Amino acid sequence: MNIISKNLNQKLKILLVSSEVVPFAKTGGLADVAGSLPKALAAMGHDVRVVMPKYREVGKKDTLCDFPVQVGNRKETAIVRQDTMEAEGGNHVPVYFIDNYHYFDRDGLYLHRDEGERFGFFCRAVLEMLPKVGFQPDIIHCNDWQSGPIPLLLKDQYAKKPYYSKIATLFTVHNLLYQGNWDKGVLSFLGLDEKYFHPEAVEFYGQVSFIKTGLVFSDVINTVSNTYAVEIQTPEYGEGMDGLLRKRAGDLYGIINGLNYEEFNPATDPHIRKNYDFDSIQDKKVNKSALQEELGLAVKDVPLIGLVSRLVDQKGLDLIALVMDELLSADVQLVVLGSGDPHYEQLFKGFQVRYPDKLGVYIGFNAELAQRIYAGSDLFLMPSKFEPCGLGQLISLRYGTIPIVRATGGLKDTINEFDGETGKGNGFSFVPYLPADLLGAIKRGLTLFRNQPEQWGKLVANALREDFSWDRSAKEYIRLYHVALGKHQGIN
Ligand code: ADP
């Protein structure tokens, strides 16, 4: 670590590879991270650039160059397009888009039939792009399965080329559940020999796993909270990768995600009815009434609980379904914004028919309504089965909305149960994944809100005082990049 400490002030050249980046394309938290971490790094003086696919929904971008990429036994053209993201202090983050009409001019980001082939093409195009755009990074920061093959491609096909030989890799797992496991044939699209198709390399239960490839071949691995980094080394949370992760435990770190405090700021948010901050927190109520109005609920001062989530099993929705009747028998309101599994979409629509004046449901993806829910709710529900980091609870804190969470992964690392005696804590949490425990946490929240307004005020103040901006986490990433460089150079 001595060598690392000495070098910490060195300005790095970093390429962040992500399949989604705010503001260009988003389905979940990865996009928020990929859109905000680079800005924080650029503000620290590093030369950071981002690369992502140019999906149809990204829209028109300037063209930089094009070149052929070998995909199996044919060549596909990669067109590099570009844009920039503005960072603090007049810094700009260049963003490269890999375009190919066949692979990316389609509706939707994912779930296509040739997913392994298209992201295989993306990974190869990213590496081929570097000399073409004249960027020789010190580190390539890969994220999730879509960029998992890059560390292996570097080692296998590029290691002998001087342009690439010094590039170190960090692989960040934002969610171990999504693994990118494909038929063996995908190896040929990547130009990789079958010798890699064994359990110590890319093979995972008879398939080629892109996430496993990243986990095995990157210099260093991290995930987005300390607790999740520990949890994924157990069979319960390891999604079949726990053995491998235990083996690489010495190279596995946890860094909690930061939040873009400019984008998520109740004092300037253009999408909410009335802006507010710590000193004008009473104005939060105006946003509550506006939200009630918008979703057709009675405008009155009952506790209002918000839920903004992908509607998938991970998010604890089966647990919510089990407590719904009891919860809505009380004098409360619940607002749900989400999309995903049709089963859960139907479920919430069904409850809405039964509780029209207590439950507001919006099925779909709506970033602006999401901000209004964070601003207008008193409490925010996030009882995840597992949660690598979670941004919903961090956005809630920023808006003075109190999270009710299950203590797992990043939720455990960021939310502490409020203690009326010490006045400490920023939310309500529970551990066993059981309806009674969820209900207990919700009831503690509702009781405090209704019966102890002074204590409630303290709790809201605690939430607003939290600081989960990128500052600290970006510094931790710099440290980790140096660990990866050290490993790559054989120093550590
Ligand atoms: P995940 O990445 O697993 O979906 P996170 O909590 O890390 O979970 O990030 C989710 C992000 O996506 C948050 O910013 C949340 O507000 C946003 N989000 C989720 N569902 C929707 C939706 N239907 N409409 C708008 N924003 C959403």
Side-chain angles (χ1 to χ4, degrees), residues 20 26-33 174-175 178 257 259 264 308-312 314-315 337-339 362-371 374 380 382 387-393 395:
E20 47 185 273
K26 166 169 171 172
T27 69
L30 168 61
D32 291 299
V33 175
H174 298 261
N175 194 331
Y178 305 104
N257 286 333
L259 189 67
F264 296 103
V308 179
S309 181
R310 288 185 298 121
L311 300 180
V312 293
Q314 175 198 335
K315 301 295 180 180
L337 165 63
S339 65
Y362 182 108
I363 299 296
F365 192 92
N366 186 333
E368 296 177 8
L369 175 58
Q371 314 268 93
Y374 289 115
F380 186 80
M382 211 163 160
E387 195 58 74
C389 174
L391 289 177
Q393 84 280 19
I395 305 173

